[in-house]
Amino acid sequence: VAMGTRRSDVTTPFSLAAGWKAQPMSIRVLRAFLGVTFLYAGIQKLADPNFLHAGTHDYIGTQLQAFAEGSPIGGLLRVLAHAPVLTGITVALAETAVGVGTLLGVAPFAMAAIGFSTNLVLFLSATWHVHPYFLGSDSIYAVAWAVYLVAMWEQQARSRRSVRNRRQVGRMQPEDATRREVIRGGLVAAVTLVFAGLARAVSARPAAASTASGLTGPTGTTGPTGASGPASMQSGAGHAAGQRAGKVITGLSRVPVGEAVGFTAPGGDPAVLVRLGQQKVVAFSRVCTHAGCLVGYDPQSRILYCPCHGAEFDPARGARPVAGPAPTALPRVAVAIRGGKVVLG
Ligand code: FES
């Protein structure tokens, strides 16, 4: 109970139950779901041994590069990709803190604003390629945070209008309020760090770094290592040529067997061409069928992989999903070999 106040006068600053009880059931449901989900998302990143480990499929640097492709905020993501580990740690801790703060009712407006911003950024990047938009989860989460924010604002406005609440504010000493906020902020930070420590403690060893360099471009140049993956794929000839049947994507000799190149499919989607054999090529959309991230290619395993949630597709079997959460194969793009060139079919 707050110092100098009677239990009947005030919602106690440290009473978790009172904070939940004061809200209508509809807001409680939303709050519980968003809080638990963000806490889980933060812990999952911290417990993932590959998240901060360069060269693995779900490395944060790979994800940032992939998200930047075709995103309206690609410039910002490329800047963040220069400090991937710092960005990854910040995102994971922020998600954990938002989850903890939302569940405990600490700085609820700030937490909801950060949650909304996080999902808005993810909508503009990770799930930007999902069509129709409602199949991507981030737009829904952003709206859920916005609804939660508005609901809290309306509730607060109602409370402020009540005579009882005005009396209550009059009794509150400024130093009490400041101290309360400091203690609450410290509580969220402490719980966040405990979760972060536990997650890192139970995290397994990172997977061996892939030597994959992503995809070779149509000119035969190999993409950069380290931040390997979708972002290292170069478009070029394919982009200029890729708008109608018969147009050349690249020369066959420029794609060694087992390698791949990126190009733009008719319709504008990023696509990948894989050479399976001497006279066998296949091509697929790079837009992951799980939530719309762009897949990359690992020439060692000859697998198309998604850096977001680990989906893997086998190009030799029609890009069927062979691991991870993707429900269906990558859409095929018709291509053919003619006169030593690979052309759109
Ligand atoms: S977007 Fe989730 S696995 Fe590809």
Side-chain angles (χ1 to χ4, degrees):
V1 176
M3 282 156 286
T5 58
R6 288 178 295 151
R7 183 178 293 273
S8 58
D9 281 343
V10 55
T11 298
T12 62
F14 300 110
S15 169
L16 180 60
W20 281 89
K21 271 189 205 159
Q23 293 178 320
M25 181 58 79
S26 55
I27 303 182
R28 281 187 236 168
V29 171
L30 204 52
R31 174 181 169 185
F33 179 71
L34 291 171
V36 168
T37 301
F38 261 61
L39 178 58
Y40 175 62
I43 290 175
Q44 188 204 33
K45 286 181 179 64
L46 292 164
D48 180 352
N50 299 331
F51 184 62
L52 301 175
H53 192 74
T56 55
H57 291 174
D58 41 356
Y59 172 51
I60 176 65
T62 307
Q63 293 190 44
L64 287 169
Q65 299 273 5
F67 292 168
E69 279 196 70
S71 162
I73 55 168
L76 170 67
L77 299 174
R78 283 186 202 95
V79 170
L80 294 176
H82 287 296
V85 173
L86 180 62
T87 301
I89 291 173
T90 302
V91 169
L93 289 179
E95 286 183 343
T96 307
V98 166
V100 171
T102 299
L103 293 173
L104 294 182
V106 178
F109 285 93
M111 296 299 168
I114 296 170
F116 172 77
S117 305
T118 302
N119 283 118
L120 185 62
V121 165
L122 289 170
F123 169 61
L124 294 172
S125 54
T127 47
W128 184 246
H129 298 282
V130 177
H131 298 292
Y133 72 93
F134 52 77
L135 294 180
S137 57
D138 292 307
S139 55
I140 314 301
Y141 275 103
V143 171
W145 279 116
V147 169
Y148 179 53
L149 264 170
V150 170
M152 285 194 298
W153 179 79
E154 286 178 337
Q155 189 190 19
Q156 189 182 66
R158 272 196 301 274
S159 297
R160 280 190 173 147
R161 279 198 295 270
S162 77
V163 175
R164 184 177 142 203
N165 214 48
R166 263 188 252 121
R167 280 196 201 126
Q168 183 181 310
V169 169
R171 285 180 188 141
M172 182 80 72
Q173 297 302 313
E175 55 269 30
D176 287 344
T178 303
R179 184 165 53 188
R180 185 186 66 179
E181 294 309 319
V182 169
I183 292 171
R184 286 178 153 201
L187 179 65
V188 170
V191 175
T192 297
L193 290 176
V194 167
F195 276 121
L198 288 174
R200 293 307 290 172
V202 301
S203 123
R205 291 171 63 82
S210 168
T211 56
S213 56
L215 302 171
T216 52
T219 58
T221 54
T222 301
T225 54
S228 64
S232 63
M233 181 167 62
Q234 300 175 18
S235 54
H239 182 83
Q243 296 308 312
R244 69 171 194 265
K247 281 289 186 181
V248 174
I249 297 172
T250 187
L252 185 61
S253 61
R254 287 181 168 164
V255 191
V257 173
E259 297 284 344
V261 297
F263 67 103
T264 301
D269 268 354
V272 55
L273 168 72
V274 184
R275 187 171 180 187
L276 298 175
Q278 285 302 330
Q279 294 298 316
K280 186 163 185 189
V281 291
V282 288
F284 304 97
S285 166
R286 289 180 58 209
V287 180
C288 179
T289 53
H290 177 229
C293 293
L294 296 184
V295 302
Y297 179 68
D298 181 354
Q300 275 197 329
S301 59
R302 300 197 174 184
I303 284 291
L304 294 160
Y305 65 89
C306 179
C308 290
H309 313 106
E312 296 182 357
F313 305 87
D314 185 354
R317 292 194 286 158
R320 269 196 282 165
V322 292
T328 57
L330 297 170
R332 186 183 286 272
V333 178
V335 293
I337 300 173
R338 280 191 206 134
K341 308 260 189 226
V342 182
V343 300
L344 283 171

